[in-house]
Amino acid sequence: MNFETILGKVDFLEFLRGKRATFLLSCSVTKTCEIPNISQAGIPGKLYLTPTLDAEFLCTKEVRSLPDIAQTPKGVPTPALITRAIHELKPYSNIEILNLGLDVIPQIDYFKIYNFDINSSESIDKNAKIPAMEIFQKGIEFGQNFETKDDYVIIAETIPAGTTTANATAKALGYKCEGYFSSSFKNSPNDIKNETINKALDNLDINDDIFEILSKVSDNMIIFNAGFILGSRVNDLKVILAGGTQMACVLLVVNSILQSMDGEIDSSNLALCTTKWINKDKDSNLKAILEQLDFSINAYASDFDFSLSNHPALKLYDEGEAKEGVGCGGALCYATINGLSKEVVTKKIESFLG
């Protein structure tokens, strides 16, 4: 198993080879996911449960808030399988859960769940009504005060319909993003997504400041993690944003906030790690999103795929379904720098599916 450098230098990831990591999973719900057929990140009609189930499975290898592991209608199993498999083979020192607006709290003991008194957000087509400044400040505070005995932090997300809210956020902030944002579907439901995004953008007023824009069209995960990234620069925490275009959008928000304040950031200890499925996705362009930042960023993609598997559900990933989520891209890059082979990782993932 290896990784490709999308931007920056190989040095950052090589420096972390064999070092200890804390895994933070940002869990949130946007009611945007209730729009029919907009996302396949979970069970239709129960997408609000996806982050809860992902957190449970990542921590315990069990789903407790539902009788069975979340799969899409096409039978694509959650990317939490990949992230969990790697944890079993080469454990993250800690897994901690950030509750950034869950409808159902994960049924897990011993693992730390940070509660920030944040509610799930409304659908962006009706004005998400997010207290954006407040959530951003909570993120900054958490980043400033976060302490770890490990060498670096991997921060991941699970939020159904999150690529739609990320795309809307990037557009609203004036970034070029037509065709740049990915989807959990192989054939992205662009009509539904675009209609939703256009309705969201219609709610904007020309005089809206950045936080008023975010409050209408974004999601809690993006806003909080933008704060976390800025706050964590105080203690120079090494952070891997584990994800694809949604995590790239977190960086766009950081960029826009810095522009509005004439601020700067030392981004040398930041990186984004994603999957081959995102990196090679013909329907999105992660690199083009990241190249719009005013600061430099290290970005990498694992070369892992399911070519060694005969399992039909896993083969769907190679066909373009799911692509990323629950930090699986960051987990796969972590697996590479910790010497795990493609064979071993594939077998472990298959063992969860019977």
Side-chain angles (χ1 to χ4, degrees):
M1 241 161 70
N2 215 325
F3 60 85
E4 182 182 325
T5 303
I6 301 171
L7 283 172
K9 288 185 175 169
V10 72
D11 305 33
F12 179 85
L13 213 49
E14 284 297 341
F15 175 73
L16 299 178
R17 194 173 280 275
K19 292 189 164 62
R20 290 157 56 91
T22 291
F23 195 101
L24 298 178
L25 184 62
S26 313
C27 304
S28 190
V29 174
T30 164
K31 290 189 173 56
T32 312
C33 77
E34 292 172 5
I35 296 168
N37 302 318
I38 199 163
S39 172
Q40 66 164 348
I43 298 154
K46 291 203 169 98
L47 260 61
Y48 66 90
L49 273 177
T50 296
T52 304
L53 303 174
D54 282 340
E56 290 171 351
F57 189 80
L58 178 60
C59 292
T60 70
K61 202 168 72 170
E62 294 175 359
V63 288
R64 296 175 173 175
S65 298
L66 252 195
D68 206 356
I69 192 159
Q71 290 193 354
T72 73
K74 289 183 182 163
V76 186
T78 167
L81 291 174
I82 300 171
T83 310
R84 171 69 196 190
I86 290 159
H87 176 56
E88 291 196 12
L89 294 164
K90 177 70 185 178
Y92 323 111
S93 298
N94 294 287
I95 298 174
E96 298 177 352
I97 306 300
L98 311 185
N99 175 1
L100 305 180
L102 285 168
D103 288 347
V104 179
I105 303 299
Q107 298 175 41
I108 42 184
D109 298 318
Y110 301 104
F111 294 86
K112 192 162 194 174
I113 301 181
Y114 294 93
N115 287 307
F116 298 96
D117 197 22
I118 295 172
N119 297 321
S120 58
S121 58
E122 295 301 318
S123 181
I124 59 168
D125 61 342
K126 299 185 182 78
N127 184 344
K129 299 185 183 71
I130 298 167
M133 173 67 94
E134 191 184 308
I135 289 174
F136 175 71
Q137 284 172 330
K138 286 176 178 180
I140 282 204
E141 207 171 295
F142 182 65
Q144 286 171 336
N145 298 321
F146 185 76
E147 289 181 3
T148 177
K149 294 186 172 68
D150 295 324
D151 300 294
Y152 64 108
V153 167
I154 299 171
I155 188 156
E157 56 71 29
T158 166
I159 172 169
T163 55
T164 303
T165 48
N167 195 344
T169 302
K171 267 195 164 167
L173 294 176
Y175 293 100
K176 186 172 182 293
C177 49
E178 205 57 57
Y180 289 179
F181 278 79
S182 64
S183 164
S184 57
F185 289 94
K186 177 184 178 181
N187 299 309
S188 175
N190 289 328
D191 293 353
I192 302 166
K193 282 177 167 252
N194 290 336
E195 187 185 342
T196 304
I197 290 165
N198 290 335
K199 281 182 181 171
L201 298 177
D202 283 346
N203 291 319
L204 297 177
D205 184 280
I206 195 154
N207 298 316
D208 285 346
D209 69 20
I210 185 164
F211 289 103
E212 287 165 332
I213 291 170
L214 293 172
S215 76
K216 292 176 181 178
V217 305
S218 196
D219 67 53
N220 299 339
M221 185 285 290
I222 290 171
I223 299 165
F224 181 93
N225 282 330
F228 174 75
I229 294 300
L230 283 166
S232 67
R233 296 311 86 210
V234 172
N235 42 32
D236 215 18
L237 194 63
K238 288 182 178 59
V239 178
I240 284 179
L241 292 103
T245 53
Q246 288 169 257
M247 283 308 198
C249 183
V250 169
L251 294 169
L252 293 181
V253 171
V254 167
N255 197 59
S256 290
I257 288 169
L258 288 171
Q259 285 174 347
S260 72
M261 295 163 25
D262 284 334
E264 287 186 350
I265 185 175
D266 176 3
S267 56
S268 59
N269 277 336
L270 294 178
L272 183 144
C273 287
T274 193
T275 61
K276 173 182 179 175
W277 303 302
I278 287 284
N279 193 32
K280 303 295 183 201
D281 180 22
K282 63 182 188 330
D283 296 318
S284 66
N285 194 337
L286 179 71
K287 188 179 182 200
I289 298 172
L290 295 174
E291 283 176 337
Q292 295 178 70
L293 297 170
D294 297 331
F295 51 87
S296 59
I297 189 78
N298 300 294
Y300 312 96
S302 166
D303 70 352
F304 179 85
D305 57 27
F306 284 114
S307 55
L308 298 180
S309 177
N310 294 317
H311 199 292
L314 298 177
K315 283 295 190 194
L316 292 168
Y317 275 84
D318 289 350
E319 290 166 19
E321 306 287 356
K323 301 183 191 75
E324 177 57 277
V326 201
C328 70
L332 287 163
C333 289
Y334 167 88
T336 298
I337 59 175
N338 283 288
L340 297 179
S341 71
K342 190 169 167 179
E343 290 84 352
V344 167
V345 173
T346 303
K347 276 202 177 74
K348 178 58 82 174
I349 296 165
E350 287 178 330
S351 74
F352 299 152
L353 295 171

